[in-house]
Amino acid sequence: MGKELRFPPGFLWGTATSSHQVEGYNCNNDWWEWEREPGHIRDGSTSGAACDWWNRAEEDLKTAAEMGQNAHRFSVEWSRIEPQEGEWDEKALARYRRMVEFMHQVGLKPMITLHHFTNPRWLAEKGGWENREVLPRFERYVAKVVETLGDLCDLWCTINEPNVYAYQSYGAGIWPPQKHSLRLVFRVLRNMAEAHTIAYHTIHRLQPEAQVGLAYNMRIFDPANPSSPLDRSIAKLLDYLFNRLFLKAVTEGKLAFPLGQGEVIEKMADTVDFSGVNYYVRDLVAFDITRPGSFFARRFATPGAEKGPGDWGEFYPEGLYRLVRQLTVYGKPIYITENGCPDNTDEKRPRFLINHLVALWRAIQEGAPVKGYFFWTLVDNFEWAEGWSRRFGLIALDVKTQRRTMRYSGEIYARICKANAIPGEVL
Ligand code: GCO
């Protein structure tokens, strides 16, 4: 048994969710239709009622608060509040207001994500994120949300994981609109960087005191053989393309190659008030001449290391320490906007959670300005193309009955949140 590891006073402890994955019956977005076509979702499932959050959010939020959490990250579903272009669903907006009011009632500070992978169908039909017309449309939507909820929230993530969205939807083509073109990946990323910039300024115009950032997915890429210059170069390239290129744009204000040709974009510089990072895994990277389509990279987990199913990657708690240390150079407050693991039986999650928090604690001891941690996720939810086959919750969900069962990892997290520390006996 070790000595307890304390976190700074006022540290935010939460969980993260996203609208389509939890609310249920989001039938006006691009995922809803796509899920129905055979072959798209691994287990043939659909989001359906999801966690029935549209009706049960309060029940789950109450549980989160009882677990000692004091914050919650969630997303607003664009297709719910603007089901047809330019037509607002005031009832849906009022529902979000009630949800956020409830968060305050039970002591959860809200962090709102404005775009988390799904798009209104009308937007997708007009070319979605490929089409620059998305920019004024996103601006109008963001303004509407901030006008409606701004008095209740001052922590905003504009876009969740632009890098993952662009790659899965336009590169790997395993998410709608299922395209395979690197050219489109970079076009979408450019549009997202501009949309982020516009959202940043729109939010600040309406709410000068707001804290605006992104929830940005970062992965550790280490050379499989550190003494091989080729492995090292490929690992560095992936790190640059995936982890740095987009953040460079929104901090330095210019589109470096291959996002652009180095052009400076007006008002894009310094448009993050905090660094939000979603961290899950590491990949070892080896040069592989047979894989030109994957930047000549073969990616795998350290032999013998704990990893997720399929191509999920290696669980590597030290990576959280390393990323937080890297982000410290931006000089902004840091939030871990997501961290978690696919584990249907909860065998690995308790250790995963504790080890990542120990790594985070170490970074904080060394001066990293980390202000909060959001575990992905509270209740098992609809895992995109993996459907219900991969479970991420601290609480297990029986999808048919909507019954919730607290997992052991949930009990551990509750002890940590309540103590604002990792208690010695769990170390
Ligand atoms: C993400 C996603 C979540 C996923 C989680 C597990 O931002 O990557 O926000 O939607 O469910 O990451 O894969």
Side-chain angles (χ1 to χ4, degrees), residues 83-296:
Q84 300 295 332
E85 182 165 16
E87 283 175 26
W88 303 108
D89 183 335
E90 296 296 336
K91 272 204 180 130
L93 283 160
R95 174 69 186 114
Y96 281 118
R97 243 194 106 77
R98 285 201 305 280
M99 254 186 231
V100 186
E101 278 165 356
F102 187 81
M103 290 181 204
H104 285 285
Q105 259 174 49
V106 295
L108 299 171
K109 183 175 172 66
M111 175 186 265
I112 299 182
T113 310
L114 292 157
H115 185 271
H116 196 127
F117 299 159
T118 53
N119 300 300
R121 232 156 40 208
W122 60 261
L123 183 82
E125 279 157 14
K126 291 177 176 160
W129 288 90
E130 284 169 59
N131 180 349
R132 284 180 63 77
E133 287 298 304
V134 67
L135 301 177
R137 294 173 173 145
F138 189 62
E139 176 175 6
R140 189 177 54 192
Y141 155 73
V142 169
K144 186 74 180 177
V145 176
V146 178
E147 280 157 9
T148 309
L149 302 175
D151 59 327
L152 298 171
C153 175
D154 58 9
L155 261 183
W156 304 91
C157 295
T158 55
I159 301 179
N160 180 71
E161 304 187 346
N163 51 349
V164 172
Y165 174 76
Y167 184 72
Q168 300 285 67
S169 303
Y170 294 90
I174 57 170
W175 291 358
Q178 265 191 305
K179 301 205 173 165
H180 299 272
S181 152
L182 267 187
R183 198 176 47 83
L184 286 180
V185 169
F186 290 114
R187 183 196 291 176
V188 165
L189 279 173
R190 268 197 312 270
N191 286 339
M192 286 192 144
E194 289 197 50
H196 163 80
T197 303
I198 291 170
Y200 179 89
H201 294 292
T202 303
I203 300 170
H204 275 291
R205 173 170 57 77
L206 295 166
Q207 198 188 50
E209 76 283 8
Q211 290 284 299
V212 185
L214 294 146
Y216 194 80
N217 187 297
M218 298 181 90
R219 228 174 147 100
I220 298 271
F221 299 103
D222 278 335
N225 173 1
S227 54
S228 151
L230 278 174
D231 288 7
R232 283 208 309 270
S233 320
I234 298 297
K236 212 168 161 184
L237 175 67
L238 294 189
D239 178 60
Y240 177 73
L241 292 175
F242 193 79
N243 294 330
R244 293 170 197 278
L245 192 56
F246 191 93
L247 292 184
K248 221 172 137 59
V250 295
T251 50
E252 294 172 15
K254 54 175 188 252
L255 304 178
F257 184 77
L259 202 51
Q261 306 291 337
E263 57 273 39
V264 173
I265 305 292
E266 207 189 332
K267 294 167 81 179
M268 190 179 278
D270 204 15
T271 52
V272 281
D273 300 324
F274 62 84
S275 301
V277 58
N278 295 355
Y279 172 64
Y280 289 90
V281 291
R282 136 160 116 169
D283 291 319
L284 293 186
V285 181
F287 173 75
D288 184 343
I289 190 82
T290 66
R291 293 173 182 246
S294 313
F295 302 102
F296 296 102

Side-chain angles (χ1 to χ4, degrees), residues 21 116-117 160-161 278 280 312 338 376 383-384 392:
Q21 293 179 274
H116 196 127
F117 299 159
N160 180 71
E161 304 187 346
N278 295 355
Y280 289 90
W312 180 255
E338 286 177 30
W376 185 276
E383 180 58 15
W384 307 114
F392 284 79

